[in-house]
Amino acid sequence: MTVEARPSGGRRRAGRAGGRSRAGRAALNGAGLLVFLFAVFPVFWMVMTAFKTDEDINADVPLPVPVHWTLGHFRKVISGQGLEFGLFHFFLNSAIVALATVVVSALVGLLAAYAVARTRFRGRAAFLVMLIIVQMVPLEALLLPLMLNAQRLQLLNSLTGVIIVYIGSSLGFSILMLRGFVAAVPRQLEEAAALDGASPRTVFWRITFPLVAPGLVATGIFSFVTAWNEFVIAFAFLKDQQTYLLPLTLSYHFGRTQVEWGSIMAASTLFTIPVMIFFLIVQRRMVSGLVAGAVKG
Amino acid sequence: MTPTVQAPGRALPGPAAGRRPRPGPRRATGRARFRAGPYLLIAPTVVIIGVLILYPIGQLFWMSFHKIGSREARGAAPAENVGWDNFRTVLGDGFFWKVLVNTVVSAAAMVALTLVLGTLVGLLLNRLGRKMSLLVSSGALLAWATPGISAAIVYKWLFTPGGGLIPWFLELLPDGLAGSGWDDYNWFGSRGTTYVVLVLCVVWQSFPFIAVSVLAGLKSLPGELYEAARVDGAGPWRTFWQITFPLLRPVFLVLTVLSIIWDFKVFTQLYFLAGGTANRDSFNLAMYAYSAAVAFPAKYGLGGAIALILTVILLVFTGFYVRVLVRQGEVA
């Protein structure tokens, strides 16, 4: 997004620069700086607190940066203070759940996205409307029936149960987003390959799939992040520490009478880093994906 | 209006160019043109969504008309059909209306603030120079990418009495300006101030999406109109309301509906800021539905009614959203 934003912004500025005063430009930059600070400050504060000693955290005057830097909180969190397992165990649980969700919803989603983008069939509009509706129903509202069903099927307290629910909740979004990417693949390419005698399967795997792959990655990262961040279902389904996901370990530390801010900020930082990295990877596709996929329906 | 007319036109090349490399008769005989292909492709999705979303919604519906405790839920006793009793109980309880007010007022504040701030930042990004624009949008990305839980935890820390940054800062300001006693003021003790922090937290996380979407919309607008407006001597205020806003109306409409839907069901942030379900005063509908689902002793019928009310409210907004999309020719 940022890369695309620049050329037109630059051109416009060049065109108007003559008419605008230096004070006007300074005001714009000042406003930009304010927005930047507003956006970044909480994250900055979280990370800085994680590196402060308890003494610095409880200092009478809040310190912008630690006086005494420490990795102590990170060490405590990673070793799993107060929990049966270390952070790595929960990291792995979260990664398994998010990856399984991504793989299934991407595969199933690609099939449906292909059908929606490439063919006209009776009930297509109804199918699309169903996807949009499904995307809007909050999991909090469905928690009750989902829990009762999971209980009957012995899927409470298991990662499998959570994965199944996440697949259901991320599939609609995956299809809507993938649909845009499939539609962007020129039909002529497929037709040309077919004319050259390639079988439908070959056409799909050799022509369509490589071209959709970047969209598949972007969509997958989106479902990954959603599953990674989800809290309600995980909280209601998983009671055994062995099955905890990262958000649950955060809430575990948070639920105590005396919140250890250093530790919780360290845990929160570690929890946030993967999401930040993924967002950076897909940031350019974010707008086109969200606007073309989710918003365009 | 135009898109609606265009949509079928755009759809026409579909079947014609539909010589996809798929098996099946290429030239079907006009009448029964049923091809199994697409249906096979969407079948797994329909099954998954049917089982995991639509069936539970049906169950919710069924439950909300029955009296269900833990015995009935286990199947140990048949559930008694109580008609509209659950709804009567929920709607007749003053507490529900309090929760509804919490939900509506906070969502309205979030939507309004997010849209205004997001639009302003979008306009700003469009005017800023190369480096500054990159800086601001990277910062916004950071806020956007922060998981709801982390965001809630940080905001709680920023506002925590006796240690948090905001109370310290407010205490630092002259008493005449900010009042006094902020140092030990418990922001999460009453629902008003809890919601102030919640709104701030949600707006902080969601304005970047609006800003980026508005920026994308702005880039699609023809520059000549702005040239003309400038020649006519129109200020930024008039230019926005007479050119930008009308042209981007579809974008704003979609963003507004999406924001309403999202902000109506805020859960995670509220759960962490309010410190769990102990403080019923600060419930919104999502939190109410959640607490009813995990309550003890189980009153699942009642919980189902609450969850169904929340779902229906969101479906009304979703219906509006779908209508907008259909009118823009996006769903056809």
Side-chain angles (χ1 to χ4, degrees), chain B residues 74-275:
Chain B
R74 264 187 284 118
E80 180 197 346
N81 186 336
V82 292
W84 291 93
D85 267 11
N86 288 326
F87 290 96
R88 246 175 250 132
T89 311
V90 173
L91 298 177
D93 186 354
F95 183 65
F96 171 82
W97 298 100
K98 221 167 126 187
V99 171
L100 191 68
V101 168
N102 286 352
T103 314
V104 173
V105 172
S106 66
M110 289 170 199
V111 171
L113 287 172
T114 312
L115 283 173
V116 170
L117 182 63
T119 307
L120 285 175
V121 173
L123 291 166
L124 182 68
L125 283 171
N126 199 30
R127 300 278 290 271
L128 284 175
R130 199 187 153 91
K131 278 185 198 144
M132 203 61 194
S133 165
L134 183 65
L135 183 77
V136 175
S137 55
S138 309
L141 182 81
L142 218 58
W144 190 5
T146 305
I149 296 170
S150 305
I153 289 176
V154 178
Y155 272 84
K156 184 126 182 176
W157 167 223
L158 283 171
F159 282 86
T160 291
L165 183 69
I166 305 292
W168 172 82
F169 181 72
L170 287 173
E171 194 60 45
L172 204 66
L173 290 174
D175 284 359
L177 198 67
S180 61
W182 286 110
D183 218 6
D184 343 285
Y185 183 76
N186 182 6
W187 284 78
F188 307 102
S190 81
R191 83 179 157 147
T193 45
T194 304
Y195 272 95
V196 168
V197 182
L198 178 74
V199 169
L200 189 64
C201 178
V202 171
V203 170
W204 174 72
Q205 281 190 280
S206 42
F207 85 90
F209 172 67
I210 308 290
V212 158
S213 307
V214 169
L215 178 65
L218 285 172
K219 281 189 296 166
S220 70
L221 298 183
E224 301 86 61
L225 283 173
Y226 290 92
E227 298 284 325
R230 204 153 46 84
V231 171
D232 288 350
W237 181 257
R238 266 193 64 195
T239 311
F240 177 79
W241 286 112
Q242 304 213 335
I243 302 179
T244 312
F245 185 74
L247 286 175
L248 292 186
R249 193 187 297 269
V251 175
F252 281 116
L253 203 56
V254 167
L255 291 177
T256 307
V257 181
L258 278 178
S259 299
I260 292 174
I261 293 169
W262 290 336
D263 293 344
F264 229 89
K265 58 180 184 184
V266 165
F267 177 85
T268 307
Q269 289 91 331
L270 179 59
Y271 184 89
F272 277 88
L273 285 176

Side-chain angles (χ1 to χ4, degrees), chain A residues 1-2 4-6 8-9 12-13 15-16 20 28-29 31-33 35-36 38-43 45-46 49 57 60-62 104 108 111-112 114-116 118-125 127-138 140-149 152 164-165 167-169 171-172 175 179 187 190-191 194 200 203-204 229 231-232 235-236 247 250-251 254 261 264-265 268 271-272 275-276 279-280 283 286-287 290-291 294-297, chain B residues 10-11 14-15 17-23 35 38-39 41-42 44-46 48-49 52-57 59-60 63 73 117 121 124 126-150 153-158 160 163-165 168 200 203-204 207 209 212-213 215-216 218-219 221 223 226 230 254 258 261-262 265 267-268 271-272 286 289-290 292-294 300 303-304 307 310-311 314-315 318 321-322 325 330-332:
Chain A
M1 61 176 181
T2 50
E4 285 169 41
R6 277 183 255 136
S8 96
R12 194 159 290 171
R13 198 172 64 104
R16 289 183 189 173
R20 179 163 321 130
L28 277 183
N29 283 334
L33 210 60
V35 173
F36 175 77
F38 173 69
V40 166
F41 187 77
V43 179
W45 201 248
M46 168 177 84
T49 306
I57 290 174
D60 288 337
V61 177
V104 178
V108 175
L111 298 180
Y114 197 82
V116 169
R118 279 290 193 254
T119 64
R120 310 273 136 179
F121 54 91
R122 187 165 298 182
R124 182 175 168 278
F127 180 67
L128 281 173
V129 168
M130 181 189 80
L131 295 182
I132 294 171
I133 290 174
V134 155
Q135 209 188 330
M136 300 302 175
V137 176
E140 291 79 39
L142 293 186
L143 183 64
L144 192 46
L146 287 175
M147 261 176 85
L148 292 175
N149 294 337
R152 270 181 219 135
I164 292 174
V165 175
I167 290 169
S169 74
L171 189 54
I175 297 169
R179 170 200 176 203
R187 217 185 271 267
E190 293 173 359
E191 283 166 348
V203 171
F204 181 79
N229 292 348
F231 173 70
V232 189
F235 189 56
L250 278 177
S251 81
F254 211 59
W261 287 108
I264 193 124
M265 288 300 140
S268 192
F271 172 62
T272 308
V275 181
M276 295 279 175
F279 258 65
L280 279 176
Q283 69 143 322
M286 202 94 74
V287 188
L290 275 176
V291 175
V295 177
K296 270 196 176 176
Chain B
R10 255 191 312 174
R19 288 176 209 129
R20 299 161 307 102
R22 284 265 147 205
R35 282 176 307 178
Y39 296 102
L41 292 177
I42 65 165
T45 301
V46 173
I48 291 176
I49 286 177
L52 288 170
I53 312 244
L54 301 182
Y55 176 63
I57 292 180
Q59 283 180 301
L60 213 53
M63 289 166 88
L117 182 63
V121 173
L124 182 68
N126 199 30
R127 300 278 290 271
L128 284 175
R130 199 187 153 91
K131 278 185 198 144
M132 203 61 194
S133 165
L134 183 65
L135 183 77
V136 175
S137 55
S138 309
L141 182 81
L142 218 58
W144 190 5
T146 305
I149 296 170
S150 305
I153 289 176
V154 178
Y155 272 84
K156 184 126 182 176
W157 167 223
L158 283 171
T160 291
L165 183 69
W168 172 82
L200 189 64
V203 170
W204 174 72
F207 85 90
F209 172 67
V212 158
S213 307
L215 178 65
L218 285 172
K219 281 189 296 166
L221 298 183
Y226 290 92
R230 204 153 46 84
V254 167
L258 278 178
I261 293 169
W262 290 336
K265 58 180 184 184
F267 177 85
T268 307
Y271 184 89
F272 277 88
Y290 167 83
V294 296
Y300 292 139
L310 172 62
T311 308
L314 287 171
L315 284 183
T318 308
Y321 174 61
V322 170
L325 292 181
E330 308 287 12
V331 175

Side-chain angles (χ1 to χ4, degrees), chain A residues 170-235:
Chain A
S170 70
L171 189 54
F173 178 76
S174 291
I175 297 169
L176 292 175
M177 197 162 159
L178 278 172
R179 170 200 176 203
F181 290 108
V182 175
V185 175
R187 217 185 271 267
Q188 291 87 332
L189 281 180
E190 293 173 359
E191 283 166 348
L195 277 178
D196 288 346
S199 72
R201 186 168 299 167
T202 317
V203 171
F204 181 79
W205 286 112
R206 302 290 288 273
I207 309 286
T208 317
F209 188 75
L211 289 171
V212 179
L216 213 52
V217 172
T219 312
I221 287 177
F222 249 89
S223 329
F224 188 95
V225 169
T226 316
W228 184 265
N229 292 348
E230 204 283 333
F231 173 70
V232 189
I233 294 293
F235 189 56

